[in-house]
Amino acid sequence: MKMYILVDHIPVRTNNFKEWNDYFDFTDRVVKKEKIATGIEVSTVFLGIDHRFGKGTPLVFETMIFSYNPKDDLDGYKTRCSTWEEAEEMHKVACKLVTERLKIEK
């Protein structure tokens, strides 16, 4: 398992479990979280663990859409990326997906 902490929004690998654990106990890892409409939220966070689980650039940020409507196919939408800047953009894309869907349903 490859562990990361953020230093000035830059993921830095650590092999020290205590350092990693302490970081997660005391650090706000949220890139952005928005309530788009009643019952729909978009959340982008730093994961701290490489979710690529293999070779390549680590995937340490995740954006998800949470919809409290069980029939909404956007519920559980998820994307992952490697940098804070990509995460901010990924968040915007997810928010746009939700707002476009809401315009269609009106």
Side-chain angles (χ1 to χ4, degrees):
M1 173 173 70
K2 296 178 185 175
M3 301 175 295
Y4 291 80
I5 61 172
L6 283 176
V7 177
D8 296 326
H9 292 173
I10 298 170
V12 175
R13 185 155 181 210
T14 180
N15 292 320
N16 183 323
F17 181 78
K18 181 173 178 0
E19 176 185 36
W20 180 82
N21 187 60
D22 289 349
Y23 173 84
F24 277 86
D25 280 349
F26 300 107
T27 304
D28 180 11
R29 303 174 300 115
V30 176
V31 175
K32 194 154 190 178
K33 185 180 254 187
E34 291 182 69
K35 183 176 182 178
I36 304 296
T38 302
I40 303 175
E41 294 182 18
V42 176
S43 173
T44 302
V45 298
F46 174 67
L47 299 169
I49 296 174
D50 180 6
H51 280 68
R52 184 172 299 278
F53 302 113
K55 293 182 180 180
T57 307
L59 298 176
V60 292
F61 293 91
E62 178 177 82
T63 294
M64 289 191 72
I65 297 174
F66 299 96
S67 174
Y68 302 101
N69 176 352
K71 294 180 182 179
D72 188 346
D73 64 346
L74 287 178
D75 183 45
Y77 166 95
K78 170 177 45 185
T79 57
R80 293 183 177 140
C81 67
S82 302
T83 70
W84 185 278
E85 292 77 16
E86 290 170 337
E88 289 175 323
E89 187 58 35
M90 198 167 59
H91 185 89
K92 289 178 192 175
V93 169
C95 289
K96 186 175 179 182
L97 281 173
V98 172
T99 56
E100 286 176 354
R101 175 68 57 86
L102 293 174
K103 288 178 190 175
I104 292 169
E105 293 179 357
K106 289 183 180 178

